[in-house]
Amino acid sequence: METTETIVTMPRIGDKAPAFTAVTTQGNINFPADYKGKWVIFFSHPADFTPVCTSEFITFAARESEFNALNCQLVGLSVDGLYSHIAWLRTINEKIEFKGMKNIEVKFPLIEDITMEVAKKYGMIQPGESSTKAVRAVFFIDPNGMIRAIIYYPLSMGRNFDELKRALIALQTADTYNIATPADWQPGDDVIVPTAGSCGVAKERMENKEEFTCYDWFFCTKPLPIEKVITK
Ligand code: BEZ
């Protein structure tokens, strides 16, 4: 039997970020090579000149310096063309005030992807939601070009930027200190130490009440002061 179903490729956590070159509002980019040594939040939005996307762009641009301070660059994409992007960003800058944020200049690159080539490579076109617009995807890509976390939202839901920042900091903290972060972790909260590899180490930790809090042999936490997590 012949099938007409489209096969959607979805990059996964632990994959190398698929490479592409693209035209953006800040010139051409070669991704992810141009970002070697930096974290990247690569995100898509459904369409220019739409309300949820506008609120998100204003927020992303207003908070860009917070991400840059964490060695993280922002890169956006939608399946609109370059002139639409330019006109929309100009409207944002000249006319829109959202939650006290106004005259916002979007300085990070916004990729034009009319052919949907890049969006399809990144699984941003999810036909059950829309076959003509990208969903709200967020890829966290590390300084070696590896995908470390992915969050997808539907068209109707604006993203939470505190959560995006928290996720970035959690990834960086896990890498730096070889720890994991528990539910609802915030910088300054206790972190989870790797499960003990032997009974001896587990026992030592359970008895060493000062450094570790052990809920059981497989679940121990230790303090990690905020100054060690957020160093700038
Ligand atoms: C929005 O950004 O408001 C939006 C975009 C596409 C579909 C629905 C909402």
Side-chain angles (χ1 to χ4, degrees):
M1 195 178 73
E2 209 175 294
T3 171
T4 54
E5 220 170 90
T6 317
I7 296 178
V8 180
T9 58
M10 307 274 287
R12 289 167 295 196
I13 291 174
D15 287 351
K16 238 184 143 18
F20 62 85
T21 55
V23 172
T24 86
T25 49
Q26 302 290 327
N28 295 352
I29 60 169
N30 181 10
F31 194 89
D34 288 348
Y35 294 88
K36 197 166 168 40
K38 293 179 191 304
W39 286 82
V40 180
I41 292 184
F42 176 36
F43 66 99
S44 56
H45 70 275
D48 298 346
F49 293 102
T50 52
V52 178
C53 301
T54 300
S55 70
E56 290 189 316
F57 254 69
I58 290 176
T59 311
F60 244 142
R63 298 189 63 173
E64 186 185 8
S65 60
E66 295 175 46
F67 290 95
N68 292 167
L70 294 164
N71 188 32
C72 178
Q73 301 294 308
L74 307 177
V75 179
L77 172 148
S78 80
V79 302
D80 298 288
L82 185 63
Y83 296 114
S84 166
H85 285 344
I86 292 170
W88 180 46
L89 299 188
R90 185 180 297 159
T91 303
I92 285 177
N93 177 251
E94 292 175 355
K95 295 200 184 143
I96 310 223
E97 175 171 351
F98 173 68
K99 291 193 170 172
M101 296 175 273
K102 64 176 177 180
N103 302 123
I104 294 295
E105 202 181 328
V106 175
K107 296 187 187 138
F108 56 80
L110 172 52
I111 293 170
E112 76 152 7
D113 190 29
I114 328 175
T115 60
M116 300 191 187
E117 197 183 319
V118 179
K120 284 183 178 161
K121 256 187 190 177
Y122 275 81
M124 292 166 170
I125 304 295
Q126 303 197 359
E129 180 73 346
S130 171
S131 49
T132 56
K133 293 177 173 65
V135 294
R136 299 179 201 281
V138 187
F139 286 84
F140 295 80
I141 298 169
D142 76 13
N144 297 315
M146 303 302 288
I147 295 173
R148 299 292 301 279
I150 306 171
I151 312 177
Y152 289 108
Y153 300 77
L155 303 191
S156 63
M157 192 193 300
R159 284 163 274 214
N160 180 300
F161 291 83
D162 288 336
E163 171 58 7
L164 301 185
K165 186 174 171 186
R166 188 194 77 93
L168 175 67
I169 294 172
L171 288 166
Q172 294 178 338
T173 305
D175 284 3
T176 304
Y177 294 104
N178 186 32
I179 52 80
T181 48
D184 289 334
W185 178 82
Q186 292 290 342
D189 290 351
D190 288 1
V191 295
I192 296 175
V193 294
T195 301
S198 69
C199 296
V201 173
K203 191 163 176 282
E204 225 170 75
R205 278 186 188 166
M206 302 275 286
E207 283 163 2
N208 176 357
K209 300 262 170 7
E210 266 167 41
E211 198 188 356
F212 299 107
T213 302
C214 287
Y215 300 88
D216 204 334
W217 62 268
F218 63 92
F219 182 7
C220 295
T221 62
K222 68 172 184 185
L224 185 59
I226 195 159
E227 317 79 70
K228 290 198 166 177
V229 174
I230 309 213
T231 52
K232 285 172 209 112

